[in-house]
């Protein structure tokens, strides 16, 4: 028996270590002045557009091409920038706070269903432990944590408040805000709407009406404000991308079962146990106390939540470029369900008799331990080094000394740091050019090619993985490496790329920078 009492304490400690590890990483790297991930610069560029009073969505030019991301994150981070300063810090701070809110909501859901500390601790612990397999993304300058916070807030409103009008109205507003963070919120909410249509038609009607007004109304308004470019970037261009069948097929075995197989098995216990699994609201209990009496099951609701989150992650993972961060919603719901599954398993063990419970409980605790072990990662590898910072500082100072315009397609924030005129981000540009079926795309391609032929840039610095090399070769030659040290200034997550190859105008194309 002492061992049965020791196991929960050990597991809560392990879960806490994962949470503390994430907190330490996030705080340590929050003020790093350069990119942790290569699209962070695009997020910063969008935030600066808001601060400068410029439209986020406009006709694409060589100065600026919008990403196919909604506007909520830049709006929020622009406000944060006014409060705490410029650079990446306010963007990462926004994501960090949102991630803590998401942890708290996950714990709240599990607590209200179980009234036990152990399932709550393990659910939050699994969520924190998924940090690295989700891209080490909770705290980067991207919209994912804000998006997750809004999704979980909407789920919490629906599940914990059974009112016919208030909770679906609030959830509809939160889902609409989530859509303004990432369009994939539509896929997440769809199974939930189906569930409510089957179980609570009045609530479903309020939710659908709120979603229609929120998502539809805001889309119409923003599209009018941006003269059609909002619709172009958020819907028209992304829909032209093609799925990768291999990535589509690999999602469940590679992205779900391989890293989280044991957590999924534990989560399945929540759905497999006959009868009701949730504990009724009751007096506070400890990790090892007897579970509270059961109340009406929410298994259909949580199945819809998991289906929506998994569908969204699966869909986005199936596209080339769908990095680990697209898995965050699915992993978060697995963490919540694993907490509920642990509670359901303990209830079943309690009813199993007098001889087997100890052995079965031990097997459960071992499975939880093994799942935590499978998610171990190196926290130091997530933190840029002092050498990275020094290399970045030196590179920016060198850029300051170069006359004329400078083009660094994959990292335009560096150009702005050096006091140079801003320009497009390569990923956003490619997102438009790869759909080159209309006059907008063809015109932008012609403008870019002409700027290269005119050697409009004093130098061009291409990254290790650039899609523009063929065009740059029309008038530029490689001259040297941007960083003599091959070990520094790499992003700690996302695509492994950095400014690498410095190209200068070919002799017959060279123009005196002073004449520009």
């Amino acid at each position: 028996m002492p061992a049965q009492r020791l196991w929960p304490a050990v597991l809560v400690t392990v879960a806490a270590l994962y949470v503390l590890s994430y907190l330490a990483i996030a705080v340590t790297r929050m003020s790093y002045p350069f990119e942790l991930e290569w699209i962070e610069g695009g997020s910063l560029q969008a935030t600066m557009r808001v601060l400068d009073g410029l439209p986020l969505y406009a006709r694409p030019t060589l100065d600026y091409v919008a990403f196919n991301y909604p506007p909520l994150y830049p709006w929020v981070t622009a406000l944060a920038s006014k409060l705490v300063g410029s650079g990446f810090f306010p963007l990462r701070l926004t994501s960090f706070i949102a991630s803590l809110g998401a942890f708290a909501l996950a714990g709240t859901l599990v607590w209200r269903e179980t009234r036990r500390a152990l399932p709550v601790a393990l659910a939050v612990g699994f969520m924190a432990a998924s940090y690295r397999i989700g891209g080490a993304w909770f705290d980067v300058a991207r919209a994912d944590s804000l998006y997750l916070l809004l999704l979980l807030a909407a789920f919490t409103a629906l599940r914990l408040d059974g009112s016919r009008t208030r909770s679906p109205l609030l959830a509809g507003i939160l889902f609409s805000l989530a859509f303004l963070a990432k369009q994939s919120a539509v896929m997440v909410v769809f199974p939930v709407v189906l569930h409510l249509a089957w179980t609570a038609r009045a609530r479903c009607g309020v939710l659908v009406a709120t979603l229609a007004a929120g998502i539809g109304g805001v889309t119409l308004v923003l599209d009018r404000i941006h003269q059609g470019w909002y619709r172009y970037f958020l819907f028209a261009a992304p829909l032209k991308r093609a799925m990768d069948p291999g990535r589509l097929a690999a999602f469940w075995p590679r992205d779900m079962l391989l890293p989280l197989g044991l957590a999924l098995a534990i989560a399945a216990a929540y759905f497999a146990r006959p009868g009701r699994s949730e504990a009724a609201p009751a007096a506070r209990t400890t990790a090892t106390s007897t579970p509270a009496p059961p109340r009406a099951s929410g298994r259909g609701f949580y199945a819809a939540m998991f289906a929506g989150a998994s569908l969204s992650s699966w869909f986005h993972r199936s596209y080339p470029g769908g990095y680990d961060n697209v898995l965050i919603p699915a992993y978060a719901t697995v963490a919540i369900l694993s907490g509920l599954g642990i509670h359901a398993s303990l209830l079943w063990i309690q009813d199993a008799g007098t001889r087997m419970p100890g052995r079965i409980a031990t097997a459960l605790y071992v499975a939880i331990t093994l799942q935590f072990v499978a998610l171990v990662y190196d926290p130091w590898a997530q933190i840029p080094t002092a050498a990275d910072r020094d290399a970045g500082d030196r590179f920016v100072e060198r850029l300051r000394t170069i006359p004329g315009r400078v083009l660094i397609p994959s990292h335009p924030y560096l150009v702005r740091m050096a006091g140079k005129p801003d320009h497009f981000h390569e990923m956003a540009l490619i997102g438009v050019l790869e759909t080159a079926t209309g006059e907008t795309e063809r015109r932008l391609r012609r403008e870019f090619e002409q700027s290269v032929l005119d050697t409009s840039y004093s130098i061009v610095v291409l990254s290790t993985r650039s899609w523009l090399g063929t065009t740059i070769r029309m008038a530029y030659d490689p001259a040297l490496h941007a960083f003599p040290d091959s070990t520094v200034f790499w992003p700690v997550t996302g695509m492994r790329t950095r400014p690498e190859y410095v190209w200068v105008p070919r002799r017959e194309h060279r123009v005196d920078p002073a004449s520009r």
Side-chain angles (χ1 to χ4, degrees), residues 187-237:
M187 281 180 281
V188 177
V189 73
F190 182 68
V192 177
V193 170
L194 292 181
H195 169 69
L196 288 180
W198 181 262
T199 60
R201 292 184 181 179
R203 300 183 78 208
C204 179
V206 175
L207 177 61
V208 170
T210 307
L211 290 171
I215 295 176
V218 171
T219 296
L220 290 174
V221 170
L222 290 177
D223 194 55
R224 179 178 291 273
I225 291 173
H226 294 92
Q227 300 178 334
W229 293 110
Y230 178 82
R231 184 176 69 253
Y232 172 84
F233 283 104
L234 265 67
F235 304 109

Side-chain angles (χ1 to χ4, degrees), residues 273-314:
R273 184 176 184 271
R276 297 172 293 175
S277 304
E278 295 84 10
R284 182 174 299 179
T285 56
T286 65
T288 57
S289 63
T290 302
R295 69 181 174 97
S297 173
R299 286 181 292 183
F301 174 82
Y302 286 107
M305 183 183 76
F306 174 71
S310 299
L311 175 65
S312 170
S313 295
W314 193 3

Side-chain angles (χ1 to χ4, degrees), residues 321-398:
Y323 187 61
D324 298 343
N325 63 297
V326 303
L327 303 170
I328 290 175
Y331 290 165
T333 56
V334 171
I336 292 169
L337 287 173
S338 68
L340 300 179
I342 289 160
H343 180 64
S345 299
L346 292 174
L347 285 174
W348 182 83
I349 291 169
Q350 176 184 299
D351 298 334
T354 58
R355 296 187 60 186
M356 292 184 60
R359 296 177 184 178
I360 298 174
T362 298
L364 174 65
Y365 294 141
V366 168
I368 297 169
T369 302
L370 290 175
Q371 181 61 85
F372 274 127
V373 170
L375 295 173
V376 168
Y377 62 88
D378 179 6
W380 299 110
Q382 320 310 317
I383 302 173
T385 65
D388 294 325
R389 184 187 291 259
D390 291 341
D393 288 338
R394 290 195 300 270
F395 181 69
V396 170
E397 288 305 312
R398 289 199 300 272

